[in-house]
């Protein structure tokens, strides 16, 4: 695991800011570190139409990129395939997957690689 992977894994929260293909065959990820922020804004709560979700959000803190937070740019000059999953809907890797890392995981065995 390289030093960038270790720095990413040292963050508590991350989110994908952007994904792009800046040149033919290349891919660039911009990942931002985030910290726990303030309570969810009232306008966000007011716009939520599902009462149960509004109740959950009322007790939550926002996750925000702020001063002192890191920004990671990861570039691959070539790739074969990639997949982006919304963590709100994605399941974790099934048993049998293996890799190194906590947030930035380099898989050596996974359903996707198979």
């Amino acid at each position: 695991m390289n030093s960038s992977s270790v720095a990413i894994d040292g963050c508590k929260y991350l989110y994908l800011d952007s994904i792009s293909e800046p040149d033919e065959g290349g891919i660039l990820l911009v990942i931002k570190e985030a910290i726990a922020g303030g309570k969810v804004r009232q306008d966000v709560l007011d716009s939520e139409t599902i009462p149960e979700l509004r109740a959950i959000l009322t007790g939550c803190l926002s996750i925000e990129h702020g001063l002192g937070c890191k920004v990671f740019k990861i570039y691959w000059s070539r790739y074969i395939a990639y997949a982006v999953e919304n963590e709100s809907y994605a399941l974790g890797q099934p048993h049998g997957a293996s890799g190194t890392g906590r947030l930035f995981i380099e898989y050596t065995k996974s359903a996707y690689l198979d």
Side-chain angles (χ1 to χ4, degrees):
M1 190 176 252
N2 65 38
S3 61
S4 296
S5 299
V6 171
I8 291 171
D9 276 349
C11 298
K12 186 168 184 180
Y13 304 110
L14 296 173
Y15 65 89
L16 179 64
D17 183 61
S18 66
I19 185 168
S20 63
E21 297 179 17
D23 50 41
E24 188 172 334
I27 189 167
L28 174 68
L29 305 178
V30 178
I31 300 169
K32 290 185 174 181
E33 178 183 25
I35 56 174
K39 292 188 176 204
V40 177
R41 294 187 332 260
Q42 190 61 48
D43 63 313
V44 173
L45 294 174
D46 292 342
S47 68
E48 181 51 58
T49 59
I50 302 170
E52 296 84 2
L53 184 52
R54 188 173 37 251
I56 291 169
L57 289 173
T58 299
C60 293
L61 297 177
S62 63
I63 302 297
E64 302 169 352
H65 176 76
L67 288 175
C69 290
K70 299 176 182 84
V71 176
F72 300 97
K73 293 183 179 182
I74 303 170
Y75 175 75
W76 287 274
S77 60
R78 297 182 333 176
Y79 70 93
I80 296 172
Y82 66 90
V84 177
E85 297 179 27
N86 182 329
E87 71 276 3
S88 299
Y89 303 100
L91 297 173
Q93 283 291 322
H95 296 293
S98 60
T100 57
R102 186 178 70 82
L103 295 174
F104 186 86
I105 303 170
E106 265 184 83
Y107 287 101
T108 54
K109 182 176 180 354
S110 73
Y112 188 76
L113 290 174
D114 290 345

